[in-house]
Amino acid sequence: MQVMILGSGVIGVTSAWYLAKAGMQVTVVDRQPDAALETSFANAGQISPGYSTPWAAPGIPMKALRWLFEKHAPLAVRPDGSLFQLQWLAQMLANCSADRYAVNKERMLRVAEYSRDCLRALRSETGIAYEGRQRGTLQVFRKPAQLEAAQRDIEVLREVGVPFELLDAEGIAGAEPALAAARDRLVGALRLPGDETGDCQLFTSRLADMCREAGVRFEYGRTIESLVGGGDRIEGVVVDGALRRADQYVLALGSWSRRLALDVGLSLPVYPLKGYSLTVPIVDATRAPVSTVMDETYKIAITRFEDRIRVGGMAEVAGYDLSLNPKRRATLEMVVGDLFAGAGDLPAASFWTGLRPMTPDGTPIVGRAPQRNLWLNTGHGTLGWTMACGSGSLLADQIAGKRPEISPEGLGPERYARGVRRAGSRPAWRPRPAH
């Protein structure tokens, strides 16, 4: 079976790996010159199943209003002039109830926990190295109210069997020694010992090399123009002006998935949630974190690589804008400087931004589209790497007709039944006339 994957980020490459392992002939197409050069390039460095939490949560609407007036707010909304932005925000608000939060978190944890198991198996099988660490995530709280609100997450963690530790202010330094200097600013923490860290771009690039050895073909520098519909199947993909055909197609284009899906009548609620990161050279390892520290107040993650610190976070609902906002850099520098003063050379840090493909309920879209030969693997939001291996393995099983190792219930596009119903498709493609 020939499978064409659109997108060579961490989601596309992990999909290619598992499909190739299933014996399929795989081609990956992307506009970039290499793998993982967009959203996967400089993310926060977390593999955090235990922190797989929907942004849509009880209390978020009131917090969002307050954040509008805060200098270092973790969320900002700027009109992009589209009706879709308003629709997406309305859908997100509708998911902020306690009932929806519990359902969405369970779905996210189901994929994320499975994904971590898949990553461990892949690492054992291949020996892939990506500056990885297996020392957990520490979610730190600056306010007593945050510690109280964590009980909601703890209940879900207990239900699904995710290990955790609740630490008081004195216990924080035991998990992250460098935080002893910030003890007076923290009231407690939730430690998730099963979480991991590493460089996502390095992982994806090295896995792409292994995919090539397994027979996967990568076509870089290609313009993916459109999907072409044809009844209950798609006819193909127009790439650089030519119609390309395969037996099955996988849409793994992150924030650009929606634009392409519209060609065949699919209105996927995947919005580009803009985030930022700093990559900071370490100058004093004794003052640096040993793993990932998540600052709950500012929604910023601080992750240790070998000789660098990755500081990532914040969310701007502002369309496809990729400009670098110096105010966001100031926030990242403020948070890492407050918790790990003197650990890194902030003036020498590299500043980056990327667009995370976010669904309004936080859960990714993994499964078959209404067209029988089109598959979706997108909408992972801030947890693309956390869920990548599990999503790729689940999708490969579905395409191969095997029973998946986890339930796919609630993960496919059918949960957005109105938006994904076929609203018509493009007529059959015809070659452009010669001039």
Side-chain angles (χ1 to χ4, degrees):
M1 183 184 294
Q2 296 181 341
V3 182
M4 179 179 292
I5 298 175
L6 308 178
S8 68
V10 68
I11 299 298
V13 172
T14 50
S15 298
W17 173 257
Y18 288 104
L19 286 165
K21 285 187 65 179
M24 301 185 194
Q25 299 176 41
V26 182
T27 300
V28 180
V29 184
D30 198 283
R31 65 183 178 185
Q32 295 292 346
D34 210 337
L37 293 183
E38 293 196 25
T39 303
S40 303
F41 182 72
N43 67 16
Q46 298 170 268
I47 306 164
S48 301
Y51 195 70
S52 295
T53 300
W55 279 73
I60 285 296
M62 292 304 298
K63 287 181 180 178
L65 289 174
R66 188 174 67 248
W67 286 333
L68 292 176
F69 306 99
E70 293 183 3
K71 180 179 179 181
H72 296 295
L75 176 66
V77 179
R78 293 183 175 82
D80 66 6
S82 71
L83 177 61
F84 173 57
Q85 184 190 49
L86 299 177
Q87 293 171 333
W88 187 89
L89 287 169
Q91 286 181 286
M92 181 180 179
L93 290 173
N95 276 280
C96 287
S97 68
D99 289 345
R100 294 309 308 164
Y101 178 86
V103 169
N104 295 332
K105 187 172 178 68
E106 184 280 326
R107 291 172 176 172
M108 294 171 72
L109 282 170
R110 189 194 325 153
V111 178
E113 288 285 309
Y114 174 58
S115 190
R116 185 190 57 213
D117 294 343
C118 291
L119 173 60
R120 289 175 175 173
L122 188 157
R123 191 167 58 230
S124 176
E125 175 187 352
T126 66
I128 189 170
Y130 46 88
E131 298 190 28
R133 294 180 174 222
Q134 295 80 50
R135 303 186 66 168
T137 293
L138 190 69
Q139 182 183 7
V140 297
F141 308 116
R142 295 174 182 263
K143 304 172 184 178
Q146 294 171 338
L147 196 57
E148 294 172 11
Q151 295 302 320
R152 181 178 59 238
D153 287 332
I154 288 172
E155 290 175 9
V156 179
L157 293 174
R158 283 198 181 104
E159 289 176 7
V160 297
V162 176
F164 68 90
E165 299 175 63
L166 193 61
L167 306 176
D168 59 18
E170 296 301 317
I172 290 175
E176 281 284 355
L179 284 178
R183 184 180 304 155
D184 61 333
R185 296 185 288 285
L186 305 174
V187 300
L190 179 64
R191 182 170 181 265
L192 302 161
D195 288 3
E196 304 183 8
T197 63
D199 186 328
C200 179
Q201 191 274 334
L202 183 60
F203 169 85
T204 307
S205 179
R206 289 181 173 174
L207 186 62
D209 290 340
M210 295 176 185
C211 284
R212 288 189 192 89
E213 294 173 3
V216 175
R217 179 180 177 184
F218 286 84
E219 296 186 15
Y220 293 120
R222 305 288 190 181
T223 300
I224 303 169
E225 298 178 15
S226 63
L227 300 178
V228 179
D232 65 347
R233 299 172 62 86
I234 67 168
E235 184 181 348
V237 183
V238 179
V239 179
D240 290 338
L243 184 65
R244 300 284 300 277
R245 300 181 190 271
D247 298 313
Q248 305 288 334
Y249 305 85
V250 176
L251 185 57
L253 286 172
S255 296
W256 285 267
S257 299
R258 172 179 169 80
R259 291 184 172 182
L260 211 64
L262 287 171
D263 292 334
V264 290
L266 303 183
S267 181
L268 301 179
V270 176
Y271 192 88
L273 200 68
K274 186 178 181 179
Y276 297 85
S277 76
L278 285 178
T279 304
V280 188
I282 292 175
V283 295
D284 187 344
T286 65
R287 299 186 181 186
V290 297
S291 189
T292 287
V293 172
M294 181 71 194
D295 190 321
E296 177 63 16
T297 298
Y298 300 102
K299 304 291 186 182
I300 288 175
I302 304 167
T303 299
R304 172 71 178 271
F305 294 165
E306 289 180 2
D307 57 2
R308 300 167 295 151
I309 301 170
R310 176 68 51 74
V311 189
M314 295 173 294
E316 290 183 1
V317 185
Y320 289 85
D321 171 42
L322 280 169
S323 61
L324 287 167
N325 186 339
K327 294 181 180 178
R328 301 305 180 197
R329 176 169 186 144
T331 296
L332 295 171
E333 291 185 353
M334 182 276 294
V335 173
V336 69
D338 184 52
L339 296 179
F340 298 99
D345 184 354
L346 290 176
S350 58
F351 187 33
W352 174 88
T353 188
L355 302 175
R356 306 120 156 183
M358 181 70 81
T359 61
D361 59 15
T363 308
I365 302 173
V366 184
R368 192 201 299 265
Q371 292 81 5
R372 292 188 294 118
N373 61 341
L374 177 62
W375 300 82
L376 308 172
N377 197 0
T378 187
H380 297 75
T382 60
L383 296 163
W385 192 20
T386 294
M387 298 183 176
C389 289
S391 297
S393 179
L394 170 62
L395 192 75
D397 284 344
Q398 291 177 310
I399 294 176
K402 294 174 56 180
R403 182 177 180 177
E405 295 184 29
I406 61 169
S407 170
E409 188 277 326
L411 302 177
E414 63 276 1
R415 71 181 190 270
Y416 300 113
R418 290 184 180 180
V420 302
R421 71 177 184 272
R422 294 191 65 248
S425 58
R426 288 191 176 188
W429 182 83
R430 296 289 183 268
R432 294 173 180 172
H435 294 287

